[in-house]
Amino acid sequence: QVRPGLRTPQVPIWLCSLCGRHGVLFGTDSLLLSHWRAERVFQLYFYSGQREQTQTAHLTIDTHSHHWEEDGSKAPSSPGQRCPPVEMAIRTKWAGATVSWNGTDPFF
């Protein structure tokens, strides 16, 4: 038997398969599950357990800013730049959101 708490998580959590690797994207704010206003600026964490990841990545998601307003030298559309798959996965739920890696080098 699966306990009710395991069927309905208390905080948002997604199991991700990115480029053939698995990881967990999760938040600690339960309001993200029930209150749309909590989706303005919020924190998510990503952990893959891969060798190149030494600690859980702390991401700040802003759903009301636009990726084209970022510094042009960092824009994913710049020649030679690619958007990390983690950001692409986040944008499947929050289209157009900006993702700040808070000092961590994007990986994957």
Side-chain angles (χ1 to χ4, degrees):
Q1 292 256 348
V2 177
R3 292 179 16 147
L6 295 176
R7 288 181 283 187
T8 307
Q10 299 297 312
V11 295
I13 184 168
W14 297 271
L15 299 176
C16 305
S17 177
L18 306 167
C19 301
R21 297 180 181 178
H22 296 88
V24 178
L25 183 66
F26 62 96
T28 57
D29 185 0
S30 62
L31 286 178
L32 280 175
L33 295 172
S34 60
H35 200 282
W36 63 270
R37 289 184 190 217
E39 293 184 2
R40 166 68 169 88
V41 176
F42 55 95
Q43 312 299 311
L44 291 179
Y45 302 89
F46 181 75
Y47 184 73
S48 68
Q50 300 296 320
R51 228 176 297 165
E52 63 269 11
Q53 185 178 8
T54 58
Q55 61 185 13
T56 302
H58 173 217
L59 310 171
T60 301
I61 315 303
D62 186 346
T63 60
H64 282 69
S65 65
H66 303 287
H67 65 281
W68 57 83
E69 294 173 347
E70 293 178 346
D71 180 10
S73 64
K74 295 180 181 178
S77 60
S78 299
Q81 294 288 327
R82 294 178 58 194
C83 183
V86 174
E87 289 184 29
M88 293 170 59
I90 290 169
R91 288 187 183 122
T92 62
K93 171 119 175 94
W94 296 283
T98 57
V99 179
S100 170
W101 287 75
N102 299 311
T104 303
D105 288 331
F107 52 89
F108 256 85

